[in-house]
Amino acid sequence: MKLLAPAPGWTAQADVIVVGSGIAGLTTALQARTYGLSVLIVTKSKVDEGSTKWAQGGIAAALGPGDTPDQHLKDTLVAGADLCDEEAVRVLVTEGPEAVRKLIERGAIFDTEASGEISLTREGGHLRNRILHAGGDATGAEVSRALLAAVHDDPEIEVVEHALVLDAIKDASGSVCGVTLHVIGAGSRDGVGRALGKAVVLATGGLGQVFAQTTNPSVSTGDGVALALRAGAKVADVEFIQFHPTVLWLGDNTQGQQPLISEAVRGEGAYLLNDAGERFMVAEHALAELAPRDVVAIASMRTMNKTGAHHVWLDVRHLSGFEARFPTIYASCIANGIDPAKDLIPVAPASHYASGGVRVDLNGRTSVNGLYACGETACSGVHGANRLASNSLLEGLVFSARIAADIAGNLTEHSEPIENNSESVLLDPETRRELQLSMSRGAGVLRSSDSLLQTSADLTRIQDRTSDKPCVEAWETTNLFQLAQAILKAALIRQETRGSHWREDFPETQNNWRKRIVQQLDKRGDWTTSYQEVGK
């Protein structure tokens, strides 16, 4: 299966093709260069426009006094609701501190105490202060700045901007040896072309644009996961979509990327209130506002549903130094007519992070030879049913280094690509908004058989509205549609509540569902489903 697109009109080549320019993609590229490999980075917009730069909270690592990787592991396993691969989590937490030190060596500057020690804070689900942050609430922007500076200093890393990846290219053995992509621009590399390499690394970030409201930037249309699906790769855990509980509510008619109010704000002592001015989280969880995100998001939605409210309230009026600690959030509130020193902040859940994605092993290998995935595009098993706060940036650091090492240790010669004669697909881009609204209604924070089946019926109608005019909007819409299908199928199959997957009709967690749902598309475009026991 492939996207309907013109034949490639140009070719680029490197040892490693990295798709994406967030923390996972940039770190993979830099690590690959330490092995002497040439790298081509292709990125959908400008090189600094990915999700990484929007990360407010920080990076979790066991660097503080008294903290240990084992304690970090335990917190991660609890948040993951018995669906984490413990071996993958152990890799994350034991290799994490060194990966952070490497990031600092590459120029990232984190906030420090008066003593000069790195400042460490807490976020929901962490029992220790282990979150590094930069610029208060601008950690992602600082990480992105440092990594991009290192990339720009290396003449053996080429960056192609405004390049939407389309499909994988395979050789006669079925191994991936490149990708097709569409570059918006002028010159020798514009329109549809191909990038050939000895390995392809997908680091395209999230799929938040599947939903009507999200914290993700507009480029987060899950292009890497959709490409992997069409290439025959396995995906897993896609039903576990984390909805961030505190996203600035700007009105029911707003869509796309919404301003995030970092979990670190609650870590500093902010309260969540209902319309009566009561702290509703105190009765919901021992950690109150610092409970795991799924718990807070569900409690918020239920609080809203009780009264028909469109949002709940975040109270930071009692916090001193809010403007200095959270300058980005403060500016966003002021820009929308809210003074955090005097006003309650209206917040509501919005899609934030996909815990699942392309299924990979501990070295980032997918089920298709030559194809790797890292960061939010991948399902490494570290997040399980619900990501622990600030583990995402750490995952990008740790597993990108492993991918680069695996590629260098198993390098092959360039292989000859063969023509992809599979069936083409393309949807009418006008269906995008309808798809997003249906997914938010039926497959959002609170799900049920009725809501999921209604959304499935909506998608069946959308599927018939095809297009014969390839363009960026149509390619993105088709990707979103295929990802919505995968999410819905898995959410219907998992008849239990676990982590960020909440079924109102199956409110209990079931031991027989301690397994991940694995999906693939076959050569005819039909879906196949299998199950994988946790830890295997």
Side-chain angles (χ1 to χ4, degrees), residues 1 4 8 113 121 183 214 223 233 424 497 522:
M1 195 173 224
L4 179 66
E113 304 287 356
T121 61
V183 177
T214 179
D223 308 314
S424 296
T497 286
D522 63 21

Side-chain angles (χ1 to χ4, degrees), residues 433-443 454-455 458-459:
R433 181 61 176 161
E434 182 181 340
L435 181 154
Q436 292 169 322
L437 288 170
S438 182
M439 286 295 290
S440 287
R441 284 193 303 266
Q454 179 58 59
T455 297
D458 293 342
L459 293 194

